[in-house]
Amino acid sequence: MAISTQSFSVNGITYHPAAKPIVIVCMDGSADEYYNAALAKDRIPNLKKMITNGYRGLVRGALPSFTNVNNSSIVTGVTPGVHGICGNFFYDEKKDQEVMMNSAEYLRAETILAAASNAGRKLAVVTAKEKLRDILSHKMTGIAFSAEKANQAKKETHGIDNVEEIVGHKTPAIYSPDASLFVLRAGVALIEKGLADFLYLSLTDYMQHTFIPESEDALLFYENMDKEFGKLLQLGAIVGATPDHGMNAKVDAQGKPNVLFIEDMLEEKFEAGFRVICPITDPYVKHHGALGSYVVVHVNDKSIINDVKEWLLLQPGITEVHDKASAVRMLEQPADRIGDLVVLSARDVVLGRRPQYHDLSALDGTLRSHGGRYEEMISMIISHPLNHKYLMKASGDPRNFQIFDFTINGTNQ
């Protein structure tokens, strides 16, 4: 069956897709160190082929460098200030509730996926984590399911039945390498069976939270992922891959979690009147214990905001503090969904609320996490060479959420 090449426009960009399967992979948590370690050991020949014959370059992700934020930016092609998703978790002042931001009701921009489906492409969204499915499939016609709940997918709600039979694998445990591998295998199967020709595959970062890049567990994981990339290439797909964020160890010299509990620190200095929100908070506590390198502070007494800001900037382990105006301008945040202050930490430090809000015993291994500046710079890998126009764009300030634009328009020679 012919593949539609109808152009479509969304959020100010017009896309001109080729008559080939197009696959975008969100390589959750894939800091450059993971690619480099696997390349050095010659464990990822297909990704190496993509890099050699296509393109690899540094790009800047969206802040905070969390999953929901960056997946939303990737599928819309715009910043959090435009699409409105500013964390996995936030304080809804209108409702006076702390809530998960995993519903499409919070999304303020149209998605590339919905626009592509309206233009006649056969769409499939496969995500490791169920929490992303609603946002990613917003207004989209096609297939959308998670590896986490693959065995619950139904034609009427997910656009597909019998996922396990189609993929040839059982629904995986979310805390396993198989959660990401299932997503890639599903992508291969959907193209092979003619069920999709425009795919967004979003992986999970359990392995990167748990294992350092040089470990055999990590190397084997990347080796197994690479095999699926090879199959996508054999199917003639144009493939673009970029992470939502990087990953760093957040421990001290003794290997113990390096945590600043911001709400306790503020109350000790200024007394009561603070609400600290950790936007990394999500259902997957074994990944990070709800500890990341970016938190939002709501201050009851607005007259002391500047004093609080100046004091926080002097604390060891804190690298940036932004008031609301600065966060909107420099961090590209939606003004109505952030607090009075935004705090970012050093490469080896995470920020928390109070100890009782963070169950460190649930961590599966050491504490590795993300959220701040030090997980913002990542790679974009594209299977085909970029044309001159996009090579020039790549020399500027490319963003991970331009991956659809670079992969679709940048490979048109």
Side-chain angles (χ1 to χ4, degrees), residues 137-202:
S137 62
H138 182 54
K139 295 184 179 179
M140 188 198 88
T141 301
I143 294 167
F145 63 90
S146 70
E148 184 177 7
K149 296 188 177 181
N151 56 359
Q152 298 178 30
K154 297 180 180 179
K155 183 77 173 180
E156 55 269 28
T157 52
H158 300 73
I160 190 169
D161 283 317
N162 305 315
V163 167
E164 292 182 334
E165 181 179 332
I166 290 168
V167 178
H169 292 270
K170 293 291 186 182
T171 299
I174 193 63
Y175 297 120
S176 73
D178 289 333
S180 290
L181 294 174
F182 187 96
V183 174
L184 292 170
R185 290 162 177 161
V188 171
L190 292 171
I191 295 175
E192 285 179 335
K193 292 174 171 56
L195 297 174
D197 58 44
F198 196 106
L199 298 87
Y200 182 63
L201 309 177
S202 183

Side-chain angles (χ1 to χ4, degrees), residues 100-410:
M100 293 289 177
M101 193 177 268
N102 55 6
S103 169
E105 71 175 280
Y106 297 113
L107 193 64
R108 292 171 169 167
E110 297 300 309
T111 73
I112 297 163
L113 305 174
S117 69
N118 290 336
R121 297 298 294 232
K122 297 171 73 171
L123 263 290
V125 169
V126 187
T127 174
K129 299 170 183 173
E130 176 67 18
K131 71 171 185 175
L132 284 171
R133 187 174 64 86
D134 190 55
I135 291 174
L136 298 182
S137 62
H138 182 54
K139 295 184 179 179
M140 188 198 88
T141 301
I143 294 167
F145 63 90
S146 70
E148 184 177 7
K149 296 188 177 181
N151 56 359
Q152 298 178 30
K154 297 180 180 179
K155 183 77 173 180
E156 55 269 28
T157 52
H158 300 73
I160 190 169
D161 283 317
N162 305 315
V163 167
E164 292 182 334
E165 181 179 332
I166 290 168
V167 178
H169 292 270
K170 293 291 186 182
T171 299
I174 193 63
Y175 297 120
S176 73
D178 289 333
S180 290
L181 294 174
F182 187 96
V183 174
L184 292 170
R185 290 162 177 161
V188 171
L190 292 171
I191 295 175
E192 285 179 335
K193 292 174 171 56
L195 297 174
D197 58 44
F198 196 106
L199 298 87
Y200 182 63
L201 309 177
S202 183
L203 312 185
T204 177
D205 55 2
Y206 168 72
M207 294 298 287
Q208 293 86 350
H209 273 290
T210 309
F211 300 103
I212 64 172
E214 300 79 11
S215 69
E216 177 56 28
D217 294 272
L219 291 170
L220 180 60
F221 174 59
Y222 277 81
E223 179 181 310
N224 287 330
M225 284 199 296
D226 186 77
K227 293 175 183 176
E228 304 308 316
F229 275 94
K231 295 173 186 177
L232 291 171
L233 296 175
Q234 288 173 2
L235 289 166
I238 301 173
V239 182
T242 194
D244 46 357
H245 55 75
M247 189 74 66
N248 281 303
K250 306 295 184 179
V251 294
D252 60 20
Q254 287 71 48
K256 296 180 180 179
N258 205 356
V259 188
L260 297 177
F261 293 107
I262 301 298
E263 196 163 304
D264 277 359
M265 290 169 58
L266 290 174
E267 290 199 353
E268 183 178 344
K269 175 65 178 179
F270 297 96
E271 299 182 350
F274 300 94
R275 182 196 296 265
V276 171
I277 297 297
C278 301
I280 195 173
T281 304
D282 66 11
Y284 308 95
V285 293
K286 289 181 74 173
H287 284 48
H288 44 63
L291 293 166
S293 294
Y294 179 114
V295 297
V296 172
V297 182
H298 296 263
V299 184
N300 289 350
D301 182 357
K302 307 304 183 187
S303 69
I304 67 168
I305 288 175
N306 195 59
D307 291 338
V308 174
K309 176 184 174 182
E310 294 301 319
W311 181 80
L312 283 170
L313 277 169
L314 296 175
Q315 305 313 303
I318 291 176
T319 55
E320 295 177 53
V321 183
H322 296 270
D323 59 23
K324 183 171 290 191
S326 176
V328 169
R329 183 173 65 86
M330 297 183 67
L331 306 182
E332 305 169 315
Q333 297 300 293
D336 60 331
R337 288 181 174 173
I338 57 171
D340 300 296
L341 296 170
V342 175
V343 185
L344 287 78
S345 62
R347 180 187 177 99
D348 60 345
V349 176
V350 280
L351 307 173
R353 189 170 184 176
R354 305 176 188 270
Q356 57 265 38
Y357 286 96
H358 306 276
D359 184 7
L360 296 180
S361 68
L363 294 175
D364 194 350
T366 187
L367 178 56
R368 298 176 58 78
S369 195
H370 52 92
R373 290 281 184 200
Y374 294 91
E375 296 81 38
E376 179 188 31
M377 296 303 296
I378 44 189
S379 277
M380 177 189 288
I381 299 173
I382 298 173
S383 59
H384 291 56
L386 295 181
N387 58 40
H388 179 72
K389 177 183 177 180
Y390 278 79
L391 282 173
M392 294 300 292
K393 289 180 73 169
S395 68
D397 181 26
R399 310 297 297 272
N400 68 336
F401 53 78
Q402 293 175 303
I403 184 72
F404 275 99
D405 184 21
F406 271 73
T407 303
I408 295 173
N409 296 329

Side-chain angles (χ1 to χ4, degrees), residues 44-152:
I44 49 173
N46 295 299
L47 282 165
K48 183 179 180 179
K49 184 184 300 182
M50 287 174 60
I51 293 166
T52 303
N53 298 335
Y55 174 80
R56 179 188 181 186
L58 283 177
V59 292
R60 188 162 58 96
L63 287 170
S65 45
F66 295 138
T67 296
N68 289 24
V69 177
N70 278 271
N71 273 272
S72 298
S73 283
I74 290 170
V75 300
T76 58
V78 295
T79 67
V82 177
H83 62 64
I85 305 297
C86 56
N88 304 339
F89 186 82
F90 86 120
Y91 173 54
D92 189 331
E93 291 185 339
K94 291 182 180 179
K95 297 180 180 179
D96 190 27
Q97 291 180 332
E98 297 178 18
V99 296
M100 293 289 177
M101 193 177 268
N102 55 6
S103 169
E105 71 175 280
Y106 297 113
L107 193 64
R108 292 171 169 167
E110 297 300 309
T111 73
I112 297 163
L113 305 174
S117 69
N118 290 336
R121 297 298 294 232
K122 297 171 73 171
L123 263 290
V125 169
V126 187
T127 174
K129 299 170 183 173
E130 176 67 18
K131 71 171 185 175
L132 284 171
R133 187 174 64 86
D134 190 55
I135 291 174
L136 298 182
S137 62
H138 182 54
K139 295 184 179 179
M140 188 198 88
T141 301
I143 294 167
F145 63 90
S146 70
E148 184 177 7
K149 296 188 177 181
N151 56 359
Q152 298 178 30

